[in-house]
């Protein structure tokens, strides 16, 4: 069993839902990231999605684009992100880490080199935004052989056939992006999400996390009632952006928001 | 080649290149587009309408012009210019936008978006959108907005909204990123007209199919004028749409050599260039696998060229395949050499070429003297130079 499967199985047994924060590695500077990962775990994160900065983040909105640009100013690319995971693993052997980013850095490193490096430092999942299941076979088989899950995105316009394809090719969990558009856009219609999740669940055995548009504890709670996990990204990164002169303030606001989400998701009220 | 060239496969692969590498939100739109493209390329009524538009609106066929004086001066091959500069809007780009706009109309899309570098594709898109009464939004890097002010004004006159893109290097690649973001967000009513043979399948094949009118005409015109096939084809390559449009109908004719000319900017050895086929490596960007300019972490490197239309870190996947198989050869021309080509054609033949096309002219000047006077070369004059007057004057210290 992969670390992700173990984590979701344990959550399921405890009747809890996964809180999945996303941050961009190296934003606003490289040394900020690993301590923040540990604090997010303390605040109740079950799985962490760690963004690999990319020069051309085509599927991301302005908030995550700018996070990427801030990290790239410090030359944080795939190799440095892998180093960060290794550093995190020295003090945390349990919390699954999913690298989220674009395909080109992995292509340039080479699939096999990447799979080896990811396994060595303790990466548990890889979510590559621009790698649909049709093109993913080579990468997936190398990762699977090393007990690393390939996570796929589902969109509001994905039909049952595509859910089944991702269920077949992917593992770990599926990530349902609940809005059309780029990350951090608009607001969420929870009724639509509920209907869509019901359809998705009919066609997959994998846990389903929901993200795109989760801004506060209230939304997190509503989504936790209908999904297996809640992903929060742009809302956290906005805290970094708003406090660029004061990273400590950013850190405490991120932790505060995550803690409030955790509390809301675990409460019966 | 005895075997008939038949690329790409049904999922858009040219060997290891091409394919569909996009976010899941775009997959249904890509599939919808692919179905429409497959259907209408076989549809006689669609083809009739397209042919009529190319003839009466674009002004096709474009002439194949024998550059006698220039050929004699260079003392080698006989040079023929395919006059895409004489098309409506002044470049080959309109061949494709007319086709995709007809497709958008058939698919019931009300809103057109496009990316543009030099502004030629933006103008060609705004033009067809105006004609069909469709809303049009053009994304353009802020750097390009500045260096191609004339084309920005033309697009606005045509009723398009031009959005300057401030992210990344603020050039063509960033305009493409922003157009993709728009498409993801407005997928139901929006048709994305990509201007070159890049992007996810079916774009590289579809844009090629709309541009092959260049090569089909050139082949027939060459046979009519000289009684034989050319020995060499020369075209500039940014994304590579004018080049593939000329090359494609000749791919099975093994005796015809093909030269794609990339922009070497300050020189390939300086790192300040836009020549991924000459100095890049395979990777994935903007929906397809192809040669790219990237650093060791796979981050895309900023490109440089005097010509905004060639200032792009990737290249169409079919060119990557033609390079690997050796069917076409890819060379490069610096900014300074391109300017020599620009002046030579202007003074020898009275034709002012676009800076993009000037790269092809400059390579023709190198290649022609190495060939015999019995041999024939077709150079694609992909666009006219009016849009570049400002850049040229600035470069030569002249105030207009």
């Amino acid at each position: 069993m992969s670390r992700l499967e173990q984590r979701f199985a344990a959550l399921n047994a405890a009747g809890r839902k996964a809180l999945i924060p996303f941050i961009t590695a190296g934003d606003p500077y490289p040394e900020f990231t690993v301590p923040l990962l540990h604090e997010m775990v303390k605040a109740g994160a079950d799985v962490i999605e760690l963004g690999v900065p990319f020069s051309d983040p085509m599927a991301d909105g302005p908030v995550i684009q700018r996070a990427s640009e801030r990290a790239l100013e410090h030359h944080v690319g795939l190799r440095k992100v892998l180093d960060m995971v290794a550093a995190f693993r020295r003090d945390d052997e349990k919390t699954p880490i999913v690298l989220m980013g674009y395909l080109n850095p992995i292509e340039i490193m080479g699939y096999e080199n990447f799979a080896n490096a990811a396994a060595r430092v303790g990466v548990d999942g890889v979510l590559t935004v621009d790698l649909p299941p049709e093109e993913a076979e080579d990468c997936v088989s190398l990762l699977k052989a090393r007990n690393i899950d390939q996570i796929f995105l589902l969109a509001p316009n994905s039909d049952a056939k595509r859910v089944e394809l991702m269920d077949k090719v992917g593992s770990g969990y599926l990530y349902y992006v609940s809005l059309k558009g780029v990350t951090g856009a608009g607001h969420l219609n929870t009724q639509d999400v509920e209907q869509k999740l019901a359809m998705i669940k009919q066609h997959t055995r994998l846990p389903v996390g929901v993200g795109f548009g989760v801004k506060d504890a209230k939304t997190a709670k509503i989504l936790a009632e209908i999904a297996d996990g809640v992903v929060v990204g742009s809302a956290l990164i906005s805290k970094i952006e708003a406090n660029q002169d004061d990273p400590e303030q950013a850190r405490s606001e991120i932790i505060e928001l995550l803690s409030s989400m955790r509390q809301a998701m675990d409460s019966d009220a | 080649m005895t075997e008939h060239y038949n690329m790409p496969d049904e999922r858009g692969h040219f060997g290891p290149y091409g394919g569909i590498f996009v976010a899941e939100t775009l997959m249904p739109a890509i599939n919808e587009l692919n179905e429409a493209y497959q259907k209408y390329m076989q549809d006689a009524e669609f083809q009739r309408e397209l042919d009529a538009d190319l003839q009466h609106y674009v002004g096709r066929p474009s002439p194949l012009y024998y550059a006698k004086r220039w050929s004699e001066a260079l003392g080698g091959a006989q040079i023929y210019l395919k006059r895409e500069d004489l098309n409506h809007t002044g470049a080959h780009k309109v061949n494709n936008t007319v086709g995709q706009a007809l497709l958008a109309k058939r698919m019931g899309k009300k809103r057109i978006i496009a990316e543009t570098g030099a502004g030629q594709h933006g103008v060609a898109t705004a033009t067809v959108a105006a004609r069909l009464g469709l809303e049009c939004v053009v994304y353009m890097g802020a750097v390009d907005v500045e260096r191609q002010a004339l084309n920005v004004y033309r697009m606005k006159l045509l009723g398009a909204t031009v959005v300057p893109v401030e992210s990344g290097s603020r050039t063509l690649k960033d305009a493409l990123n922003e157009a993709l973001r728009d498409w993801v967000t407005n997928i139901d009513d929006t048709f994305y007209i990509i201007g070159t043979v890049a992007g996810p399948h079916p774009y590289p094949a579809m844009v090629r199919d709309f541009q092959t009118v260049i090569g089909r005409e050139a082949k027939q015109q060459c046979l009519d004028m000289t009684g034989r096939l050319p020995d060499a084809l020369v075209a500039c390559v940014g994304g590579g749409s004018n080049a593939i449009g000329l090359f494609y109908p000749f791919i099975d004719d093994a005796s015809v050599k093909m030269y794609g000319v990339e922009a070497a900017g300050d020189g390939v050895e300086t790192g300040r260039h836009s020549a991924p086929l000459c100095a890049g490596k395979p990777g994935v960007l903007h929906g397809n696998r192809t040669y790219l300019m990237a650093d060791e972490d796979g981050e895309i490197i900023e490109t440089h060229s005097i010509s905004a239309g060639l200032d792009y870190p990737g290249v169409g996947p079919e060119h990557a395949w033609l390079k690997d198989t050796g069917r076409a050869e890819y060379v490069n021309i610096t900014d300074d050499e391109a300017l020599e080509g620009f002046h030579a054609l202007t003074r020898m033949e009275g034709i002012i070429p676009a800076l993009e096309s000037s790269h092809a002219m400059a390579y023709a000047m190198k290649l022609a003297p190495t060939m015999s006077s019995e041999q024939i070369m077709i150079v694609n004059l992909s666009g006219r130079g009016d849009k570049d007057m400002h850049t040229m004057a600035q470069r030569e210290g002249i105030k207009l």
Side-chain angles (χ1 to χ4, degrees):
Chain A
M1 247 209 290
S2 73
R3 206 157 12 206
L4 273 167
E5 286 169 323
Q6 286 172 32
R7 177 56 51 107
F8 275 102
L11 283 166
N12 197 29
R16 296 175 74 214
K17 301 300 175 69
L19 176 59
I20 310 175
F22 167 94
I23 58 160
T24 299
D27 173 31
Y29 57 88
E31 296 74 21
F32 188 77
T33 302
V34 175
L36 178 61
L37 298 182
H38 289 302
E39 286 191 48
M40 291 198 301
V41 173
K42 271 187 230 153
D46 299 296
V47 174
I48 291 172
E49 290 184 354
L50 187 57
V52 181
F54 184 51
S55 51
D56 293 80
M58 291 150 284
D60 285 301
V63 172
I64 293 180
Q65 282 176 53
R66 288 193 292 264
S68 246
E69 284 177 13
R70 286 193 293 271
L72 286 171
E73 274 170 34
H74 296 277
H75 308 287
V76 176
L78 180 55
R79 290 170 301 173
K80 284 202 175 143
V81 176
L82 289 166
D83 291 343
M84 288 179 189
V85 177
F88 173 77
R89 276 281 168 260
R90 283 200 276 276
D91 301 307
D92 187 328
E93 290 182 357
K94 284 195 179 139
T95 311
I97 296 260
V98 174
L99 295 189
M100 181 164 176
Y102 293 80
L103 184 56
N104 198 51
I106 297 174
E107 286 264 327
I108 297 294
M109 185 177 278
Y111 288 173
E112 188 153 12
N113 288 341
F114 170 71
N116 287 337
R120 192 170 58 240
V121 301
V123 168
D124 302 289
V126 179
L127 199 168
T128 313
V129 178
D130 53 350
L131 180 64
E134 289 90 342
E135 297 281 357
E137 200 180 307
D138 294 346
C139 200
V140 167
S141 61
L142 286 162
L143 292 174
K144 221 167 227 171
R146 291 158 182 80
N147 223 12
I148 298 172
D149 295 305
Q150 179 86 46
I151 319 291
F152 286 102
L153 290 174
L154 280 168
N157 46 11
S158 307
D159 58 18
K161 234 168 95 181
R162 290 202 67 78
V163 181
E164 281 167 13
L165 180 62
M166 305 211 191
D167 176 74
K168 203 172 110 202
V169 183
S171 58
Y173 61 99
L174 292 177
Y175 179 4
Y176 174 59
V177 294
S178 49
L179 293 169
K180 284 186 200 174
V182 294
T183 49
H187 60 275
L188 195 69
N189 182 334
T190 44
Q191 220 169 9
D192 285 356
V193 176
E194 192 167 359
Q195 279 177 8
K196 192 76 196 185
L197 280 175
M199 182 284 276
I200 292 169
K201 282 299 209 178
Q202 281 177 358
H203 299 277
T204 183
R205 73 215 136 80
L206 295 172
V208 181
V210 178
F212 279 40
V214 183
K215 290 193 164 70
D216 50 31
K218 198 176 139 216
T219 321
K221 180 174 173 55
I222 294 169
L223 289 178
E225 279 161 15
I226 52 180
D228 302 300
V230 179
V231 184
V232 51
S234 296
L236 302 181
I237 289 172
S238 296
K239 307 286 186 195
I240 295 179
E241 185 157 272
N243 296 287
Q244 286 185 61
D245 303 334
D246 189 354
E248 282 315 307
Q249 179 65 25
R251 194 194 315 271
S252 71
E253 286 185 23
I254 286 172
I255 296 309
E256 197 182 323
L257 179 58
L258 272 183
S259 303
S260 71
M261 287 180 167
R262 176 83 271 168
Q263 224 169 14
M265 286 164 65
D266 292 349
S267 75
D268 298 327
Chain B
M1 231 182 256
T2 49
E3 232 173 283
H4 185 59
Y5 180 86
N6 185 24
M7 288 282 189
D9 71 13
E10 77 281 1
R11 292 221 319 273
H13 296 108
F14 301 88
Y17 303 109
I20 301 175
F21 294 90
V22 296
E24 180 60 22
T25 28
L26 279 180
M27 288 304 289
I30 300 263
N31 289 337
E32 184 192 352
L33 174 63
N34 199 17
E35 276 167 31
Y37 156 67
Q38 302 293 349
K39 177 177 163 196
Y40 289 114
M41 292 315 265
Q42 313 294 330
D43 181 282
E45 181 50 38
F46 180 85
Q47 289 299 335
R48 255 198 302 280
E49 197 175 338
L50 176 61
D51 289 345
D53 278 359
L54 289 175
Q55 187 183 345
H56 300 291
Y57 190 67
V58 176
R60 304 204 70 91
S62 69
L64 185 69
Y65 166 73
Y66 174 39
K68 186 162 182 288
R69 183 162 179 254
W70 199 32
S71 303
E72 282 169 3
L74 291 169
Q78 304 306 311
I79 299 175
Y80 289 77
L81 302 173
K82 183 59 176 163
R83 297 292 307 275
E84 293 300 300
D85 61 318
L86 294 178
N87 292 339
H88 180 42
T89 72
H92 72 289
K93 292 292 185 188
V94 73
N95 300 329
N96 168 51
T97 58
V98 161
Q100 288 198 48
L102 282 184
L103 203 53
K105 207 174 78 176
R106 290 284 205 284
M107 291 170 72
K109 303 288 181 182
K110 300 273 178 269
R111 182 172 174 270
I112 299 285
I113 59 169
E115 85 296 336
T116 196
Q120 290 304 104
H121 173 59
V123 167
T125 303
T127 298
V128 296
R131 180 174 173 239
L132 297 176
L134 300 169
E135 186 192 345
C136 180
V137 177
V138 178
Y139 291 93
M140 189 169 186
V143 170
D144 295 334
V145 167
E146 201 172 308
R147 61 180 167 177
Q148 302 288 344
L150 189 63
N151 272 343
V152 173
Y153 184 56
R154 288 169 80 192
M155 286 184 267
K156 287 181 179 166
L157 285 176
L158 289 160
T161 306
V162 179
V163 181
V165 176
E166 298 283 354
S167 59
S169 60
R170 307 191 298 153
T171 59
L172 179 55
K173 79 172 175 75
D174 310 287
L176 229 152
N177 291 338
E178 211 53 44
L180 283 168
R181 288 178 190 121
D182 179 313
W183 201 25
V184 169
T185 310
N186 302 297
I187 214 139
D188 294 334
D189 68 341
T190 297
F191 189 103
Y192 180 15
I193 299 189
I194 292 187
T196 193
V197 284
H201 180 68
Y203 284 103
M206 178 171 70
V207 176
R208 175 197 71 194
D209 289 349
F210 287 134
Q211 290 293 0
T212 51
V213 65
I214 301 172
R216 284 198 310 272
E217 284 177 9
K219 194 171 188 175
Q220 192 55 52
Q221 288 165 324
C222 187
L223 288 169
D224 292 347
M225 291 167 80
T226 71
R228 50 181 293 246
L229 288 175
D231 299 282
L233 307 175
V234 178
C236 65
V237 176
S241 69
N242 90 78
I244 210 76
L246 177 63
F247 293 176
Y248 187 73
F250 293 94
I251 287 180
D252 287 334
D253 301 307
S255 67
V256 182
K257 291 194 170 133
M258 301 171 176
Y259 299 92
V261 185
E262 293 194 303
D266 291 344
V268 164
E269 69 288 349
T270 65
R272 286 172 51 77
H273 60 84
S274 306
L277 288 168
C278 293
K281 52 196 160 186
V284 169
L285 181 69
H286 294 149
N288 67 95
R289 183 179 285 121
T290 187
Y291 280 82
L292 294 176
M293 292 176 53
D295 69 13
E296 284 185 303
D297 268 322
E299 310 293 349
I300 304 305
I301 299 173
E302 284 194 22
T303 53
H304 173 81
S305 169
I306 189 172
S307 114
L310 302 182
D311 209 346
Y312 181 66
V315 62
E318 191 160 19
H319 287 294
W321 175 244
L322 293 176
K323 171 192 160 74
D324 281 12
T325 57
R327 181 61 190 94
E329 193 178 321
Y330 294 89
V331 296
N332 56 84
I333 284 291
T334 64
D335 287 352
D336 289 343
E337 290 172 323
L339 291 176
E340 283 174 36
F342 176 93
H343 288 299
L345 191 70
T346 303
R347 297 302 290 269
M348 295 299 293
E349 296 289 349
I351 299 171
I352 302 179
L355 284 172
E356 291 76 15
S357 320
S358 297
H359 287 73
M361 300 307 144
Y363 190 70
M365 287 167 71
K366 286 187 177 180
L367 186 62
T370 70
M371 296 167 67
S372 85
S373 60
E374 312 292 305
Q375 290 185 297
I376 296 168
M377 174 196 295
I378 296 178
V379 188
N380 204 4
L381 179 44
S382 55
R384 66 179 186 225
D386 304 42
K387 71 181 172 59
D388 297 311
M389 290 302 103
H390 196 74
T391 306
M392 289 301 297
Q394 212 171 23
R395 181 120 179 164
E396 306 197 334
I398 296 162
K399 209 161 176 198
L400 293 181

